[in-house]
């Protein structure tokens, strides 16, 4: 099972003394751990629990939207405050809207990808023993539960959770009850944590790469997470500043955003979206990286256009700061600015299209193994195409005037930063689970989970485009009050039922995840026969990652099905030196 | 190594092909069906006609790209389940250049067209400018109010000292002759009236938080932002009553901020102005 000869031994490099980690107490090892892998798992599991909370809120919203005005005595019995008299209370509905968005964007997707996967993959894939700043890493994780506590506490203060949406537009958010202040503090703490995390990822990627791991040999996941951290470095401070200013407005008597005191409500929108649009890419870039990796490893084919993949990610990262105004076409800003944001917005579609075509070319004539991980990666490509195309409609400001703040937008961004990013998370979990926990997940359950999720996602979010085309505004608690929406009842039933199927399918995943964590069959070092360095470490890797010396890197990470390889060899891992290529065949056979 | 037989794997690939194929077929079919049932409401605005044209063009284009790319995905997945060995092929500059340039050309065409429409929405055309009307629309939690300059076409001065929520909620100065014939309409009680065949300037303002004035049939949406006045032009063509929705979350009553816009013929408009002249309104506060 173990790979023959450490690379150091094979290549004759001087071995660095192996790190020895003394046995640690339970608390030090699993709770206040500085080990990047434990922190990654902490981030991942916490964010999955938050996803369940956010998903539950979404289900409640779909109960209301599917059958507005209907009474639900059972739900009233369970949640008497939310369902006063059997019908959902509008105040609760808007609180659910806000917290669903906040939880899914901040507490689930950003943390799962930039907290979970970044922590797990960056050191392992670059051949480092840990992050550059392990203690900072631990602190940045522990700020996360504090942030969650503030956000969830808002449900229990007078007035409940804020009803201003995750965008918290002023002046409404200046007038909202105390829950809004808690929300702002929560977001501020989280941004601080992400910023600390981002600095750690950037430093680690730049400084801690092992011998031979040049930037041009980085796996695409590391490139994606690195680009994400760079975006965060510039985006998070804008939101932190905005949150602080709004906290001052609310509790300190300043008037940054209040026109009554000379402030400007549009300033909030500029600050928020200067963060908010890059945030979309903070969520989608890591998913793109994971998908590239999974498609190559499970398709036994090199990623197509590695250089273009990296280039388009960096282009997206740069352009993401120039498009925020497309959220504000109807805010009354100068039409000249509107046309500029149209150009930049449609320009960002070019690198996105390049990536899509490169994934298609990667799948083309691959020898795909249809595992749960690769199904999610293929599903991601399908979702990204669908969601990306509707973005072209929204990027046209004159057309956007109609679609802005309708369900068309809800459908669009749920495809991209909801569903596609979620598929990235699932692809990543199914792919790296063996490395994380040293056990395999159940593939059959994984596939059933995928089929239901894929159909549930399309059934939920595709019809939302029709709702938007018919003119249904988002954040409308009872659309049935509008005559022009008289015909959308069917659509809303379909969407709600699909959403419940989608929600129920996640129970299969939860079962599979927790069962396999403790009872799954033991995983080998490299169950997928992948090329990247993490698969050379034991499963799960010990504290310090590498048993003996750190690996040395000899090639790029996508040497799958090489032309002149010996019979039976369909991959050459990054850690195998040239002379060992000939033995790689036998070794590869044994490893199987 | 995770073991799967070739046969199982082919079946897995077939199911995935089927799923993507289903998305393709159901996506196109449901969109075609939706054009009959859940599409843009009938257009009653001259100025907005290019928006609908642009939308149709974009829909057709992305529809074609959707079919091509999802179709390619389904086909490649089908193949990938059957290939004996993957192709070692990971770089092709010509291919990369081709799809980059083609995408860029298509998007540039959209930018040019979109720019012209965007301009036309903001710069009044000469022909349309002949007959004009102005209406001030105020958003507040949770209804719309409108003020008209009356038959003289001049808005009177307003001053907070004259605000009387029972009789004069806008605080129109009774000493200003231009304001005496001003008309105020409480949109929570009756429709806001605009003339057909006119180029109507809607001046949007807000009394409290941000609202958004959305009239789906006119394809118009503009935020009402406290502290600033946003102008938007509409050219209603068909007399009738159309719904106004608030499109920006403005508080717990957001969903109830429904209004109506009544488009009337030119004769009815003039008669209405004469009849209502000097009604300074009265909203329950």
């Amino acid at each position: 099972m173990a790979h023959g000869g450490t690379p150091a031994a094979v290549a004759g490099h001087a071995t660095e003394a192996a790190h020895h980690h003394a046995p640690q107490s339970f608390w030090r090892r699993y709770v206040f751990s500085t080990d990047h892998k434990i922190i990654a798992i902490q981030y991942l599991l916490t964010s999955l629990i938050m996803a369940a909370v956010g998903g539950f809120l979404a289900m409640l919203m779909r109960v209301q939207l599917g059958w507005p005005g209907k009474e639900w005595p059972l739900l009233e019995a369970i949640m008497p405050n939310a369902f006063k008299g059997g019908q959902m209370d509008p105040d609760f509905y808007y609180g659910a809207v806000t917290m669903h968005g906040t939880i899914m964007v901040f507490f689930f997707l950003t943390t799962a990808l930039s907290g979970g996967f970044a922590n797990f993959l960056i050191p392992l894939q670059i051949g480092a023993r840990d992050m550059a700043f392990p203690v900072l890493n631990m602190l940045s994780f522990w700020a996360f539960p504090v942030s969650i506590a503030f956000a969830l506490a808002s449900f229990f203060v007078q007035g409940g959770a804020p009803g201003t949406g995750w965008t918290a537009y002023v002046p409404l958010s200046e007038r909202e009850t105390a829950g809004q202040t808690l929300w702002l503090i929560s977001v501020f703490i989280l941004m601080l944590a992400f910023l600390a995390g981002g600095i750690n990822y950037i430093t680690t990627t730049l400084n801690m790469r092992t011998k031979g791991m040049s930037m041009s040999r980085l796996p695409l996941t590391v490139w994606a997470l690195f680009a994400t951290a760079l975006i965060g470095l510039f985006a998070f401070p804008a939101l932190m500043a905005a949150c602080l200013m709004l906290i001052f407005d609310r509790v300190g008597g300043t008037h940054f955003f209040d026109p009554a005191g000379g402030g400007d409500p549009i300033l909030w929108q500029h600050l928020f979206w200067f963060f908010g649009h890059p945030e979309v890419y903070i969520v989608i870039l890591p998913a793109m990286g994971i998908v590239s990796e999974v498609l190559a490893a499970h398709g036994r084919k090199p990623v197509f256009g590695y250089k273009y993949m990296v280039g388009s990610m960096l282009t997206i990262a740069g352009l993401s700061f120039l498009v925020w105004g497309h959220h504000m076409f109807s805010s009354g800003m100068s039409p000249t600015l509107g046309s500029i944001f149209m150009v930049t917005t449609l320009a960002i579609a070019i690198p996105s299209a390049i990536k899509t075509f490169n994934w298609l070319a990667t799948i083309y004539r691959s020898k795909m193994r249809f595992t749960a991980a690769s199904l999610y990666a293929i599903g991601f490509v399908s979702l990204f195409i669908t969601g990306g195309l509707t973005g072209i409609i929204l990027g046209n400001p004159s057309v956007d005037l109609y679609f802005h703040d309708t369900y068309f937008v809800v459908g669009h961004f749920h495809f991209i930063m909801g569903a596609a990013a979620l598929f990235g998370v699932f692809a990543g979990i199914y792919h790296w689970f063996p490395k994380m926990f040293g056990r395999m997940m159940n593939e059959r359950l994984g596939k059933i989970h995928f089929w239901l999720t894929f159909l549930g996602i399309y059934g939920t979010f595709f019809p939302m485009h029709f709702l938007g085309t018919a003119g249904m505004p988002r954040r409308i608690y009872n659309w049935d009050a509008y005559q022009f929406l008289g015909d959308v009842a069917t659509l809303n039933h379909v969407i709600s039922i699909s959403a419940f199927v989608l929600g129920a399918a996640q129970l299969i995943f939860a079962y599979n995840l927790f069962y396999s964590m403790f009872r799954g069959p033991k995983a080998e070092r490299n169950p997928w026969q992948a090329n990247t360095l993490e698969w050379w470490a034991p499963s799960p890797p010990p504290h310090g990652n590498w048993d003996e010396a750190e690996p040395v890197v000899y090639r790029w990470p996508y040497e799958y099905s090489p032309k002149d390889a010996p019979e039976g060899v369909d991959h050459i891992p990054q850690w195998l030196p040239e002379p060992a290529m000939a033995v790689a065949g036998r070794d590869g056979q044994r490893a199987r | 190594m995770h073991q799967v037989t070739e046969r199982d794997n082919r079946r897995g690939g077939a199911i995935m092909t089927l799923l993507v194929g289903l998305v393709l077929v159901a996506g196109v079919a449901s969109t075609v069906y939706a054009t009959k049932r859940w599409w843009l409401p009938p257009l009653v605005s001259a100025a907005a006609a290019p928006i609908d044209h642009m939308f149709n063009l974009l829909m057709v284009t992305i529809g074609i790209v959707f079919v091509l790319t999802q179709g390619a995905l389904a086909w490649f997945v089908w193949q990938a389940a059957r290939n004996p060995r993957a192709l070692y092929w990971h770089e092709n500059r010509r291919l990369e250049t081709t799809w980059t340039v083609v995408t860029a050309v298509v998007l540039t065409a959209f930018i040019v067209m979109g720019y012209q429409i965007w301009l036309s929405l903001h710069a009044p055309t000469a022909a349309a400018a002949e007959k004009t009307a102005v209406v001030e629309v105020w958003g507040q939690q949770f209804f719309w109010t409108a003020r008209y300059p009356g038959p003289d076409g001049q808005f009177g001065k307003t001053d907070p000292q004259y605000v009387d929520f029972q009789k004069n909620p806008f605080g129109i100065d009774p000493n200003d002759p231009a304001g005496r014939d001003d008309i105020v309409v409480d949109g929570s009680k009756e429709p806001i009236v605009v003339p057909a065949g006119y180029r109507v300037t809607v001046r949007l303002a807000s009394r409290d938080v941000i609202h958004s004035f959305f009239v789906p049939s006119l394809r118009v949406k503009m935020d009402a932002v406290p502290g600033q006045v946003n102008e938007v032009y509409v050219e209603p063509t068909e007399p009738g009553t159309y719904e106004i929705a608030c499109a920006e979350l403005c508080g717990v009553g957001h969903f109830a901020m429904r209004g109506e816009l009544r488009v009337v013929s030119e004769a009815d408009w003039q008669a209405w102005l004469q009849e209502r002249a000097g009604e300074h309104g009265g909203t329950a506060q």
Side-chain angles (χ1 to χ4, degrees):
Chain A
M1 219 155 287
H3 263 283
T6 66
V10 175
H13 281 292
T15 54
E16 191 187 314
H19 284 213
H20 284 289
H21 290 271
Q24 292 168 320
S25 70
F26 174 84
W27 285 93
R28 204 78 187 112
R29 192 166 171 194
Y30 292 111
V31 183
F32 296 104
S33 172
T34 53
D35 179 358
H36 72 99
K37 298 177 296 298
I38 299 293
I39 294 172
I41 289 164
Q42 288 173 325
Y43 259 123
L44 200 60
L45 293 183
T46 317
S47 69
L48 286 173
I49 291 166
M50 291 316 288
V53 177
F56 177 68
L57 291 171
M59 297 297 119
L60 290 180
M61 284 152 67
R62 280 323 310 179
V63 167
Q64 165 63 24
L65 291 170
W67 299 271
K70 196 171 148 78
E71 291 190 5
W72 307 89
L74 183 66
L75 290 171
E76 189 188 9
I78 304 167
M79 293 173 289
N81 285 329
F83 285 85
K84 285 177 189 134
Q87 275 190 36
M88 187 183 279
D89 183 39
D91 221 342
F92 178 83
Y93 177 82
Y94 285 113
V97 166
T98 307
M99 296 312 287
H100 166 73
T102 307
I103 288 173
M104 288 309 201
V105 173
F106 293 124
F107 297 153
F108 170 45
L109 291 170
T110 312
T111 29
L113 291 158
S114 284
F117 287 107
N119 258 310
F120 191 77
L121 294 178
I122 292 176
L124 275 171
Q125 289 201 327
I126 66 173
R129 292 195 182 273
D130 208 322
M131 284 287 173
F133 312 114
V135 176
L136 183 68
N137 206 15
M138 174 188 80
L139 293 175
S140 74
F141 169 73
W142 279 105
F144 177 37
V146 176
S147 164
I148 292 176
F150 271 100
L152 294 187
S154 71
F155 271 114
F156 304 101
V157 296
Q158 178 110 43
T164 55
W166 84 286
T167 54
Y169 272 16
V170 291
L172 182 62
S173 51
E174 304 226 4
R175 294 155 178 242
E176 189 62 38
T177 46
Q180 187 76 56
T181 307
L182 293 175
W183 184 91
L184 287 164
I185 294 170
S186 160
V187 171
F188 184 86
I189 295 173
L190 194 67
M191 292 294 111
L192 201 63
F194 286 162
L195 205 54
I199 290 167
N200 222 339
Y201 307 150
I202 291 169
T203 314
T204 306
T205 312
L206 290 178
N207 287 349
M208 315 254 306
R209 279 167 290 129
T210 188
K211 192 170 161 46
M213 180 59 90
S214 62
M215 289 301 269
S216 58
R217 285 177 177 171
L218 283 184
L220 284 173
T221 25
V222 177
W223 263 118
L225 293 162
F226 177 68
T228 304
L230 280 180
I231 298 178
L233 208 56
F234 297 100
F236 295 143
L239 185 61
M240 288 166 73
C243 283
L244 266 190
M245 287 156 83
L246 188 47
I247 291 172
F248 288 155
D249 268 16
R250 286 177 56 85
V251 303
T254 56
H255 294 93
F256 289 112
F257 304 118
D258 185 4
D264 182 2
I266 299 295
L267 173 62
W268 169 269
Q269 296 185 21
H270 281 295
L271 287 171
F272 183 85
W273 289 117
F274 187 80
F275 148 82
H277 198 84
E279 169 66 23
V280 173
Y281 295 99
I282 286 173
V283 166
I284 199 71
L285 278 180
M288 288 173 160
I290 289 171
V291 163
S292 309
E293 195 82 7
V294 169
L295 283 180
H298 295 251
R300 317 311 295 161
K301 186 161 175 285
V303 161
F304 191 82
Y306 175 87
K307 274 187 295 186
Y308 300 88
M309 290 298 230
V310 173
S312 55
M313 277 197 280
L314 294 176
T315 314
I316 288 173
L319 280 176
S320 72
F321 287 99
L322 302 176
V323 299
W324 80 90
H326 69 216
H327 296 268
M328 298 163 64
F329 283 144
S330 68
S331 71
M333 70 176 175
S334 152
T336 315
L337 268 180
S339 45
I340 291 168
F341 282 119
M342 165 178 67
V343 175
T344 53
T345 301
L346 293 180
I348 211 167
I350 298 174
S352 311
I354 294 174
K355 295 199 74 73
T356 310
F357 290 129
N358 275 303
W359 287 317
L360 286 175
T362 305
I363 299 170
Y364 171 72
R365 294 191 63 186
S366 61
K367 181 176 165 44
M368 190 65 72
R369 294 189 302 216
F370 291 93
T371 55
S374 73
L375 290 178
Y376 271 106
I378 296 166
F380 172 96
V381 177
S382 172
L383 293 171
F384 191 74
I385 290 171
T386 309
L389 285 172
T390 52
I392 292 174
I393 289 187
L394 296 172
N396 278 273
S398 41
V399 181
D400 179 73
L401 283 185
Y402 179 79
F403 287 106
H404 180 77
D405 270 333
T406 66
Y407 263 80
F408 197 92
V409 177
V410 179
H412 163 73
F413 77 74
H414 273 91
F415 260 102
I416 296 283
M417 76 181 296
L422 176 75
F423 272 40
V425 172
F426 281 140
I429 290 176
Y430 281 108
H431 183 70
W432 280 292
F433 186 90
K435 189 53 64 184
M436 285 182 179
F437 299 100
R439 290 175 186 272
M440 303 298 289
M441 282 182 89
N442 185 307
E443 277 292 324
R444 180 181 294 266
L445 287 179
K447 280 175 194 164
I448 297 171
H449 172 228
F450 168 78
W451 297 329
L452 290 175
T453 305
F454 186 73
L455 292 175
I457 290 257
Y458 264 101
T460 304
F461 300 118
F462 200 83
M464 284 191 184
H465 294 104
F466 304 143
L467 284 182
T469 315
M472 179 170 158
R474 66 196 280 206
R475 294 161 172 170
I476 285 285
Y477 158 85
N478 64 339
W479 48 266
D480 58 339
Y482 289 89
Q483 281 151 21
F484 75 100
L485 293 175
D487 216 15
V488 300
T490 327
L491 279 176
N492 274 306
H493 299 331
V494 169
I495 292 171
S496 288
I497 292 164
S498 303
F500 299 146
V501 171
L502 176 60
Q506 306 321 308
L507 299 176
I508 303 174
F509 172 74
Y511 170 79
N512 195 357
L513 183 80
F514 288 108
Y515 182 85
S516 308
M517 209 180 279
F518 301 106
R519 296 281 165 83
K522 290 257 191 240
E524 301 162 17
R525 271 192 183 218
N526 192 359
W528 314 121
Q529 295 165 305
N531 283 345
T532 39
L533 291 182
E534 75 274 25
W535 300 107
W536 185 74
S539 299
H543 196 174
N545 293 347
W546 320 106
D547 284 340
E548 293 154 46
E550 286 142 28
V552 177
V553 166
Y554 298 93
R555 59 181 58 73
W556 78 319
Y558 300 110
E559 202 64 9
Y560 290 106
S561 307
K563 273 178 184 149
D564 47 0
E567 185 57 31
V569 175
D570 73 345
H571 71 298
I572 306 176
Q574 283 187 290
W575 59 83
L576 278 189
E578 296 300 331
M581 258 181 72
V583 257
R586 292 203 309 277
D587 187 43
Q589 291 294 352
R590 250 206 340 266
R592 239 165 280 185
Chain B
M1 163 58 191
H2 170 72
Q3 280 297 354
V4 191
T5 64
E6 280 295 321
R7 199 167 144 266
D8 275 350
N9 200 50
R10 275 208 298 277
R11 198 173 57 194
I15 295 174
M16 189 66 220
T17 309
L18 205 68
L19 286 176
V20 179
L22 187 69
V23 161
L24 199 168
V25 174
V28 173
S30 64
T31 307
V32 170
Y33 180 70
T35 56
K36 305 278 181 288
R37 210 173 150 186
W38 302 298
W39 216 237
L40 303 172
L43 177 68
V44 292
S45 164
I51 295 178
D52 281 25
H53 290 150
M54 184 78 196
F55 173 67
N56 289 333
L57 175 74
L58 289 167
M59 277 308 283
V60 170
T61 315
I62 69 169
I64 292 169
V65 179
F66 177 81
V67 170
L68 290 179
T69 44
Q70 301 279 9
L73 180 63
W75 174 237
F76 295 166
V77 167
W78 175 262
Q79 271 190 330
R82 279 156 187 76
N83 282 330
R85 188 185 170 89
L87 182 69
Y88 188 81
W89 180 58
H90 62 83
E91 193 106 316
N92 188 324
R93 187 182 290 188
R94 185 184 289 175
L95 208 53
E96 299 276 359
T97 316
T98 311
W99 60 51
T100 308
V101 170
V102 170
T103 312
V105 167
V106 173
L107 291 172
T108 307
F110 289 157
I111 288 172
V112 172
M113 280 184 275
Y115 183 64
Q116 285 169 339
I117 297 167
W118 183 243
L119 274 188
S120 76
L121 292 181
H122 291 93
T125 53
E130 281 173 21
K131 285 185 285 187
T132 58
V134 183
V135 52
E136 255 183 31
V137 172
W138 288 73
Q140 70 189 86
Q141 291 172 328
F142 296 101
F143 60 98
W144 302 96
T145 318
R147 179 162 82 116
Y148 300 81
D152 69 347
Q154 301 283 318
F155 280 111
K157 282 194 207 101
T158 58
D159 193 318
Q161 64 169 311
Y162 300 113
V163 167
D164 173 344
F165 288 118
Q166 298 309 316
K167 292 182 188 129
N168 184 7
F170 275 75
I172 298 165
D173 185 347
N175 306 314
D176 180 5
R180 286 194 191 130
D181 64 345
D182 280 13
I183 304 164
V184 173
V185 166
D186 177 353
S188 64
K189 299 201 177 83
E190 55 175 330
I192 293 170
V193 176
V194 289
Y198 277 57
R199 183 167 190 106
V200 183
T201 303
V202 182
R203 284 190 196 146
L204 285 159
S206 167
R207 295 192 162 193
D208 37 42
V209 300
I210 298 177
H211 303 275
S212 191
F213 181 76
F214 179 33
V215 190
S217 304
L218 292 173
R219 311 285 186 270
V220 71
K221 185 178 287 140
M222 184 56 81
D223 291 359
V225 183
Q228 73 184 51
V229 176
N230 287 344
E231 282 196 353
V232 60
Y233 309 103
V234 294
E235 283 183 57
T237 49
E238 292 288 320
T241 302
Y242 308 102
E243 287 176 296
I244 307 168
C246 179
E248 190 64 75
L249 179 53
C250 57
V252 76
H254 169 58
F255 62 94
M257 197 165 159
R258 178 184 171 276
E260 285 184 345
L261 188 77
R262 192 160 85 220
V263 176
V264 296
S265 67
E266 190 175 355
D268 288 350
W269 164 248
Q270 294 299 346
W272 186 83
L273 281 181
Q274 297 300 334
E275 182 197 329
R276 302 291 290 266
E279 275 189 25
H280 288 188
T283 50
Q285 275 284 335

